[in-house]
Amino acid sequence: MLVIHCPYCGPRPELEFRHCGQAHIARPLDPSAQTADEWGEYLYLRENPKGMHAERWRHMHGCGRFFNALRDTTTDFFVTTYKCGEPRPAVSGTAPAGGQR
Amino acid sequence: MSQNTCRTAAGGRIDRSRLVNFTFDGKAFTGHVGDTLASALLANGVHLVGRSFKYHRPRGLLAAGVEEPNALVAVVRDTARRTPNLRATQVELYEGLVAESQNRWPSLQFDVGAVNDLLSPLFPAGFYYKTFMWPRKAWHQVFEPVVREAAGLGKPPTEPDPDTYAQRFAHCDVLVVGAGPAGIAAALAASAKGASVLLCDEQPEFGGSLLDEPNAQVNDHPAAEWLKASLATLRGRANVTLLSRTTCFGYFAHNMLSLNERLTEHQATPMTGVPRERLWQVRAKEVVLATGAIERPLVFPGNDRPGVMLASAARTFLNRYGVKVGSRVVLVAGCDAAYLAAFELRAAGVKIERIADIRPAPGEAVHAAALSAGIAVSTGVTVLGTFGWLRVTGITLAHLADDGSVQDRETLDCDAVLMSGGYTPTVHLFSQSRGKLRFDEAQQVFVPGNSVERERSAGACCGTDGLRATLEEGSQAGTSAAEAAGKAGSAEGYHVQLLEGSMVGTPGVLPQPGNIPPSKAFVDFQNDVTSKDLALAMREGFESVEHIKRYTTNGMATDQGKTSNMNSLGFVSAEKGVALPKAGLTTFRMPYTPITFGIFAGYDRGDLFDPVRPTPTHAWAVANGAVFEDVGLWKRSRYFPRAGENMHAAVDRECLAVRNSVGLFDASTLGKIEVVGPDAATFLNRLYVNNFNTLAEGKCRYGILTREDGFVYDDGVIARLAEDRFHVTTTTGGAPRVLHMMEDYLQTEWPDLQVWLTSTTEQWSVIAVQGPKAREVIAPLVNGLDVSNAALPHMSMVRGMLGDIPMLLMRVSFTGELGYEINVPAGHGQRAWEMVWAAGLAYGMTPYGTETMHVLRAEKGYVIVGQETDGTVTPDDAGLGWAVAKSKPDFVGKRSLARPALVAKGRKQLVGLLTAEPKTVLEEGAQIAAVPEQPVPMKLIGHVTSSYHSAVLGRSIALALVADGRALMGQTVYIPMPGGAIAAQVVAPVFYDTEGAKLHV
Amino acid sequence: MQKFSAWSLLKEAFGGQQGWQPQWRRAAPKAEYDAIIVGGGGHGLGAAYYLAAEHGLTNIAVVEKGWIGGGNTGRNTTIIRSNYLFNESAQLYDHSVKLWETLSQVLNYNVMFSPRGVMMLAHTVHDVQVFKRHIHANRANGVDNEWLTPEEAKAFCPPLNIGDDIRYPVMGAALQRRGGTARHDAVAWGYARAADALGVDIIENCEVTGIRRDANGAVEGIETTRGAIRTRKVGVSAAGHSSVVLGMAGVKLPLESFPLQALVSEPVKPAFPCVVMSNSIHAYISQSDKGELVIGASSDSYNSYTQRGSLHINAHTLAAICELFPAFRRMRMLRNWGGIVDVTPDRSPIIAKTPVKGLYVNCGWGTGGFKATPGSAHVFAHTIAHDEPHAINAPFTIERFRDGLLIDEAAAAAVAH
């Protein structure tokens, strides 16, 4: 069970959260103008990286807020979590041993 | 009654004043309080304790602890409390204990299965992959049952386990795993300045290897005194938790570790009200692993005879339990530490026939000590074999010359052979933590390398040799852990007096003359894997250690390779001619030792398996005989049978009551979300397919929600309470996911909208009053509120009072009849229900359940999301295209609804079906074809989604999804059933009151 | 290929087991192949075998980054069944079951296919409706699947608790008698041995690091940790790592990789005669021929390549097992492990050409790929050999997502596989 640092509430056990998939996929402002390929990509295509992953979580059984996280999918350690709307932090390499402090 | 003939006169940590009676395979024995089953059997001279898995060879105790591969027994308290596969070395003796050996027939002494040992050339590793293939069905029908019956170890329990299991979460600054010298020193240092420390050990008594060291002095005191004082110190600290009989078996991400505490298994009469075992899930800021090391057997022919055991085991049996494992002992030593067994046994009066050291040059200190004690020592020897069947009677030693020839062959008589190949650090938990192991060339073992989690190892588990170094390393580890956790530690120095020997040996197989050992040399005792099996696997091209493991099953027994993995690796690397770490290492997996299923379930059983959500009127429904169904976590009344009624009769009666008079239904499980804010209408407009701008205050509208993929996700009635306030209802199962979806869009896509969402499902109790008499029932209860058709028409709502209870009254109908849904605060739900019930009695009011609700709505063609839809159905498919506000520039799902496949011809559309034979009720889920008789595979055009007997129509009705169904009105389709196809006519999906007049009365 | 039989065992018994040959060669990569399969699991090895056996392509290689069968092939709970709802799925999986039925004989390797019956439990009215829909659809498709009352289910699986003392009592079950289990490692080894005998190079410890493309964008080779290899056809069968490998050619997939766990108990004498699945409460159980109860858990919620999951996921599954089989509460977990499952939005696989010429993919099997091993390998080989899908895998394209032609077993069943 992971420990996840909610940007609003602090560290909490994973059971309080819900994983919500890849982060930074904005809904097109005018979906009807999207080509089939563009719309298909928005709906379904995902990075699924082996390594640093920007992903969404929701503190479902806490503050209820959505937020983003950078997590290394090869270790499951978080580098950081950040609020929706904030840009993806620039992080290179892998998550530190022991994870986010 | 047997005598403890092999017990020393004094010593050990058992309570000699207290006798304990027990039976093994029906035979009565005695032991002492403090014994294990293993030590008590040995005290009675019993070495034969089991039969091996494949060859049914007689087996004795190899070890004294967790690593024991042979002595697996079943302990039977009663018919329901039978626990197979327990290690006799870990079964604490209690008065009346009943133990049975396993995997033998008819008896342990004479086991017919031992014929396998003679036939073993036919059963090399992996033999089952090469045969049993003809004829084709013979594997499953003939051979597999034989193989299955022969495999397996103990007999499984067959009755429900009456015991209870508990679970607990804990947090601490420092978790110390293992209460040997390193762990205790770590706990002392870590807890000295206030850090919270949890110290656990799998054994009943703390002390680890110190319990086997009667001659050690720590800080000028006998080790036993130091241990006692240290434990007293720890017990005296409020910030320390001590858990004995507690195995740390798992190391998970983010420093979550799992512990198994055994509470009653050692008790003759388990305390009532106490769980048998408990699962601890510990989140530690820092971890100290002080898990010790396990001695390796030596691999030589006949190394598995009863009486052949690890040197460390002999020491444990002697020093802890006062048991001599033999009277004439040969020690085959592969490391210096093993010599202590010979010294201590000799001091206890056991004759040491020989120390046969496989190394040319033993350590000087132990060698000298042996010689001065008058023990004969041979060096550079190998073991060619052993004698004996149910107990070892002799051993053949020899030197191998460089050319492989045998020299100095000699056979010694003995009744026990002790062996030691050196020690393997117990790195299981470190490896589980995903730390990288490092191969220590000097010691020829894997030790912890770089940590990944916040942990450090100390003592023998990182290859540290010697008591002083172990204590000091533990102390330093405790200190650094406390400091890393933000507290202070207190490292101490130690001084120690003790004759010690190094634990370093060489993993692998003892050299033998020629290629083929004369008899079996076991690497994995429990799975009967020999060095020949490993060689065979390599000959057949299995080179990866993972392949060798899987092909031979080496290391896959219930001990998970604790004594076999390193020897296997040593053999493989030698055969391949590569350095040992190049041979690879199999993965260490959770759990460290086998763990009872029950602790993972804990109290999650029966009604606690999942929470039960009763509605506010649940007690009333129970009292009135409701049959319930599970819908998600909810318990919903399915129907209310009267005496002698089956479901069909009850549902017919309930349906007619609603159609002809009035019925009462608890709709409280519907999800309810209050959507509030200046942008509430805009928000719902963007989300739902409908248009909500045009919904006036006090009005209700049926809403449909699709996801971005365009398929129906949920539906429900949405009422506009005020300009900026909507009461949104969802399906029973959909409430959480709809709210989650709303929050997602609100927070992440449209954060500019001023909208607030609140789940109100639990706040409202919803009482549906449905039927032509509904108004007459409620009118007297609403304090003069005008509920006439003119004042409160269909799909409108009003606030008011039901008696003294505030209510939100909605004029809605899921039955096609005049209907009201009375929403009252949940705390008043049952009282409100009873108020309406009392008022309805005069009208023959009938409570009805979900089954009747389903029939009534199907008669009207109202869909149920999840029944008429299945995640592949668009609003138009479901006949709900009318609800889609096509003029809106966008809503969630709109773009997808324009995708080619979603507008193509041939989509399945909702229709009604009337069977040609009116009494025939189609089966829900039945498939639909255009032509009656077809060969398989048939061409199918749809399926029946709902099907009922309609009491009011006196015939069956069905809803179905049929390809281009709306173009097939009036045509006949066929429902192929095992007994032949059933003909049905495609009709519009409304069967009753097609013009909807009854809704508007 | 050395013939395996009772006679060969007898002969070797007298020969000190010295005459056994390597089951497959330790091949080193050649400079060029006609086709390369990336991924040495059952699906990849099987595809290589069928390419060689049925399509005459023998100058081919399977490259595997670790040891063959070390991914999900060797980590799953070996459930085999074909009672899927949609025609497309039923045909694919039943094609596979038919191949399973003769696989030991075809490969001369006992894969221990054991059609002991797969029983899926219904716990709610909704489950009953869904299962009956499956049964009717299966019957029309020629796939066996039958409805059992709770009493019949208990007769088929005596340890099952059909009382109402559990939270979600058993309301019935769907039984596919032709379903069952097989020995997972043997599938990888059997295909490897048979493919090797036809000339296929099986190259272990060889990780793909790049996909080379020519000026027109077509595949012209791969780069590996053991050097570059030329080829015009690359079939990727890399399960959880499919996104990573396809990404090397710039192809993005509708996939996400999740941890999935399984566990076994200590071995005991026969106690469990069939396979039981409960999708509603997440319990999947059978007993291996060795005697271990083999139990599948559900997946964790987040993407991960760590091959491990959380304890609470196992705990929930074991709670469900203890509910359904209360005698097993005293059994003990021996070994737990994790795999990486690649999941598509509609929970159906992709077996298809990609937008890159010469690049093919077989992925997205989620939690249910083992059962499909022979069938999927068979049609994937056809797709690679002909540069066109087999009729059976034609619907399982990447483009179906864009076009909305989903094969949504999960949504239709409202359950996971």
Side-chain angles (χ1 to χ4, degrees), chain B residues 54 153 322 516 637 663 884:
Chain B
K54 188 169 161 190
L153 290 166
I516 309 168
S637 301
V884 179

Side-chain angles (χ1 to χ4, degrees), chain A residues 1-3 18 27 31 34-36 39 43-44 56 58 60 64-66 76-77 97-101, chain B residues 253-254 256 283 286 451-454 708-709 740 743-745 747-749 890-892 895-896 899:
Chain A
M1 194 190 304
L2 309 179
V3 175
R18 177 162 165 176
R27 186 173 190 267
Q34 295 265 300
T35 65
W39 186 246
L43 284 182
Y44 297 118
R56 308 188 321 141
R58 183 179 174 214
M60 190 91 178
R65 304 287 282 268
F66 283 79
D76 289 341
F77 283 128
Q100 184 182 10
R101 301 245 168 193
Chain B
H254 300 189
M256 169 75 94
R283 183 81 68 179
E286 299 289 331
S451 293
V452 167
E453 293 284 353
R454 297 170 198 173
E708 288 291 9
D709 62 11
H740 180 70
E743 286 285 1
D744 193 350
Y745 279 89
Q747 291 186 35
T748 71
E749 297 293 352
D890 186 25
F891 57 83
V892 171
R895 172 65 185 84
S896 282
R899 289 191 287 170

Side-chain angles (χ1 to χ4, degrees), chain B residues 509-820:
Chain B
V509 173
L510 289 195
Q512 297 296 320
N515 284 330
I516 309 168
S519 63
K520 298 181 185 74
F522 287 89
V523 179
D524 185 319
F525 288 74
Q526 192 182 119
N527 268 356
D528 271 346
V529 180
T530 66
S531 55
K532 280 194 277 195
D533 291 317
L534 298 177
L536 172 64
M538 296 179 74
R539 195 174 306 131
E540 292 198 76
F542 294 92
E543 289 212 348
S544 154
V545 287
E546 288 282 358
H547 278 156
I548 294 170
K549 166 182 142 183
R550 286 159 178 261
Y551 193 63
T552 63
T553 72
N554 190 80
M556 299 183 80
T558 65
D559 54 81
Q560 291 285 287
K562 289 187 179 64
T563 55
S564 63
N565 279 347
M566 282 304 288
N567 281 334
S568 163
L569 263 185
F571 178 79
V572 169
S573 65
E575 290 285 302
K576 287 167 98 168
V578 300
L580 193 143
K582 290 269 181 207
L585 182 65
T586 56
T587 313
F588 293 94
R589 302 194 185 284
M590 200 275 284
Y592 175 63
T593 53
I595 302 295
T596 308
F597 283 4
I599 66 164
F600 298 102
Y603 291 112
D604 294 353
R605 50 205 279 192
D607 277 356
L608 297 178
F609 177 75
D610 258 354
V612 174
R613 291 179 85 177
T615 70
T617 66
H618 189 78
W620 189 94
V622 170
N624 284 271
V627 172
F628 292 93
E629 71 165 315
D630 290 304
V631 182
L633 299 176
W634 291 103
K635 290 281 181 192
R636 300 193 76 180
S637 301
R638 194 175 180 195
Y639 56 100
F640 291 82
R642 290 182 180 164
E645 276 185 341
N646 60 14
M647 183 171 85
H648 179 76
V651 169
D652 274 4
R653 174 179 51 74
E654 291 172 14
C655 284
L656 289 174
V658 175
R659 291 277 177 244
N660 296 329
S661 179
V662 62
L664 190 60
F665 177 73
D666 186 345
S668 302
T669 64
L670 287 181
K672 294 167 280 288
I673 300 165
E674 202 153 285
V675 179
V676 181
D679 297 319
T682 304
F683 177 70
L684 291 175
N685 253 357
R686 291 186 188 180
L687 214 54
Y688 278 74
V689 305
N690 317 67
N691 190 342
F692 287 97
N693 285 338
T694 54
L695 182 65
E697 280 178 47
K699 295 294 178 190
C700 305
R701 183 161 289 168
Y702 173 67
I704 299 165
L705 185 65
T706 61
R707 281 197 300 187
E708 288 291 9
D709 62 11
F711 299 120
V712 174
Y713 193 53
D714 204 84
D715 69 350
V717 170
I718 296 174
R720 190 165 200 166
L721 305 182
E723 174 66 23
D724 61 350
R725 185 173 294 260
F726 290 82
H727 177 90
V728 176
T729 68
T730 73
T731 59
T732 294
R737 61 174 182 250
V738 170
L739 180 60
H740 180 70
M741 177 174 166
M742 286 181 170
E743 286 285 1
D744 193 350
Y745 279 89
L746 180 60
Q747 291 186 35
T748 71
E749 297 293 352
W750 309 317
D752 53 312
L753 293 186
Q754 292 204 57
V755 176
W756 290 268
L757 305 169
T758 308
S759 167
T760 55
T761 304
E762 301 280 357
Q763 275 61 49
W764 294 111
S765 180
V766 184
I767 301 162
V769 185
Q770 301 277 317
K773 304 286 188 197
R775 185 177 293 121
E776 290 163 62
V777 171
I778 68 161
L781 303 174
V782 295
N783 300 304
L785 186 71
D786 186 354
V787 293
S788 67
N789 192 43
L792 190 64
H794 183 54
M795 296 302 269
S796 58
M797 55 78 48
V798 64
R799 290 177 187 276
M801 298 290 288
L802 182 81
D804 58 343
I805 305 169
M807 74 170 173
L808 196 63
L809 182 64
M810 295 168 66
R811 167 108 187 254
V812 291
S813 172
F814 201 46
T815 59
E817 301 295 339
L818 168 66
Y820 299 91

Side-chain angles (χ1 to χ4, degrees), chain B residues 348-373:
Chain B
V350 173
K351 186 163 190 316
I352 307 301
E353 297 287 347
R354 184 72 57 85
I355 294 178
D357 202 311
I358 63 171
R359 302 167 300 172
E364 285 173 17
V366 292
H367 195 188
L371 295 177
S372 71

Side-chain angles (χ1 to χ4, degrees), chain B residues 400-421:
Chain B
L400 282 189
D402 289 344
D403 63 359
S405 64
V406 174
Q407 294 171 352
D408 312 324
R409 182 190 186 105
E410 60 175 329
T411 295
L412 302 174
D413 289 342
C414 59
D415 60 4
V417 171
L418 310 185
M419 58 181 170
S420 174

